[in-house]
Amino acid sequence: MLIAITRQVSPSINKCELTHLAHQPIDMDVVRAQHRQYEEALKSLGVEVLSLPEEADLPDSVFVEDIAIVVDEAAVITRPGADSRKPETESIAKALAPYRKLFYIQAPGTLDGGDVLTVHKDIYVGLSSRSNQAAIEQMRAFLAPFDYAVKGLKVTGCLHLKSAVTQVAADTLLVNPAWVGKDNFPDMKFIEVEPSEAYAANAVLVGKTVLYPSSYPKTRLRLEEAGIRLAIVDASELAKAEGALTCCSLIFKV
Ligand code: CIR
């Protein structure tokens, strides 16, 4: 069975961190409705959703993906790159503790889960403005005993590695090659985003279905033409906080 940890949208989301986007007002009713739709879409794919209460003083806390890396054997609690996000870890560690042995990234390491893409036993970590080499070395030490290969790679032009590349099938990555080199992922097939849809590479693979945002119709067509089954959700209001679909959940097997 799969569990997804999510967290309700913070009433302070309008104070969120922004790196590549200009501030645009976020409508609380719309963003909450979209988040509900996201949780419902996960449930309809058979995932049990563990929805944590909102954190009023933590604007970005809906983006739970950044706070942990969960593999079958363990979980790593991150030390987020943005100082405003560091207090998000406590409640996520508590929620994960019943399910996994926990490891903790320590200073000077910084890591956002959005920078971590796990493909089978390979764990790719984007070196971004949020995640650094010290964190990669700690991850490697934590996860090598379980046979994971942790590989650092360069990502440019976007916030996180998973803004640039995500997995959409067992052997296929959806990628924006302007932001990350395809040569980092030997043995994988690729679907490229439409160049006019730079942010279209973030998708959530659940079983054999891909949860995909409605905002990128041209890339969506490419996925459909490749025979990938999609469940479409509108996440346009969440995107104003520079968050994409993977960011809103921590999905793991139990
Ligand atoms: C931040 O800058 O941290 C948030 N406003 C957005 C985080 C999005 N998370 C993700 O891509 N994993």
Side-chain angles (χ1 to χ4, degrees), residues 16-17 60 63 65-66 85 114 130 159-160 241-243 247:
C16 68
E17 298 283 340
D60 280 305
F63 301 122
E65 167 187 63
D66 292 318
R85 302 203 57 190
R130 299 287 176 86
L159 181 60
H160 288 130
E242 219 168 337
C247 320

Side-chain angles (χ1 to χ4, degrees), residues 34-106:
Q34 289 185 354
H35 189 257
R36 246 191 325 273
Q37 189 200 5
Y38 176 86
E39 292 180 327
E40 289 306 318
L42 286 173
K43 287 181 196 166
S44 72
L45 297 176
V47 180
E48 184 178 320
V49 176
L50 183 57
S51 183
L52 303 180
E54 67 184 35
E55 292 272 6
D57 300 328
L58 299 175
D60 280 305
S61 51
V62 66
F63 301 122
V64 291
E65 167 187 63
D66 292 318
I67 308 307
I69 318 308
V70 189
V71 293
D72 288 350
E73 303 85 352
V76 177
I77 303 299
T78 65
R79 184 169 175 269
D83 285 343
S84 70
R85 302 203 57 190
K86 288 186 170 72
E88 292 178 32
T89 53
E90 199 181 317
S91 51
I92 295 293
K94 215 179 267 174
L96 280 170
Y99 303 102
R100 293 292 191 274
K101 174 179 170 59
L102 302 182
F103 296 94
Y104 291 82
I105 298 291
Q106 310 282 353

Side-chain angles (χ1 to χ4, degrees), residues 190-201:
F190 298 95
I191 297 172
E192 292 191 12
V193 302
E194 266 280 328
S196 60
E197 296 179 339
Y199 287 89

Side-chain angles (χ1 to χ4, degrees), residues 11-12 49 51 65-66 74 95 98 114 131 141 154 164 170 173 178 180 183 186:
S12 61
V49 176
S51 183
E65 167 187 63
D66 292 318
S131 302
K154 248 224 194 104
L173 300 178
V180 71
D183 53 349

Side-chain angles (χ1 to χ4, degrees), residues 57-235:
D57 300 328
L58 299 175
D60 280 305
S61 51
V62 66
F63 301 122
V64 291
E65 167 187 63
D66 292 318
I67 308 307
I69 318 308
V70 189
V71 293
D72 288 350
E73 303 85 352
V76 177
I77 303 299
T78 65
R79 184 169 175 269
D83 285 343
S84 70
R85 302 203 57 190
K86 288 186 170 72
E88 292 178 32
T89 53
E90 199 181 317
S91 51
I92 295 293
K94 215 179 267 174
L96 280 170
Y99 303 102
R100 293 292 191 274
K101 174 179 170 59
L102 302 182
F103 296 94
Y104 291 82
I105 298 291
Q106 310 282 353
T110 62
L111 182 69
D112 280 10
D115 274 317
V116 181
L117 174 68
T118 303
V119 182
H120 310 299
K121 285 283 183 180
D122 291 318
I123 299 185
Y124 300 97
V125 186
L127 283 160
S128 68
S129 60
R130 299 287 176 86
S131 302
N132 64 17
Q133 188 62 35
I136 290 179
E137 278 153 27
Q138 292 176 37
M139 283 266 287
R140 193 170 284 142
F142 298 149
L143 299 178
F146 309 113
D147 294 329
Y148 290 94
V150 178
K151 304 170 183 187
L153 55 88
K154 248 224 194 104
V155 50
T156 48
C158 56
L159 181 60
H160 288 130
L161 175 63
K162 274 188 284 191
S163 323
V165 60
T166 54
Q167 189 175 11
V168 290
D171 59 352
T172 310
L173 300 178
L174 177 62
V175 65
N176 178 344
W179 289 345
V180 71
K182 292 197 289 188
D183 53 349
N184 286 296
F185 311 99
D187 308 326
M188 295 300 284
K189 293 185 199 157
F190 298 95
I191 297 172
E192 292 191 12
V193 302
E194 266 280 328
S196 60
E197 296 179 339
Y199 287 89
N202 187 276
V204 183
L205 178 62
V206 182
K208 288 192 172 158
T209 304
V210 167
L211 210 57
Y212 196 68
S214 54
S215 308
Y216 310 112
K218 294 178 178 163
T219 305
R220 172 182 171 176
L221 199 61
R222 291 185 177 193
L223 290 163
E224 285 169 344
E225 280 168 3
I228 291 173
R229 185 167 60 219
L230 301 179
I232 302 294
V233 290
D234 183 358

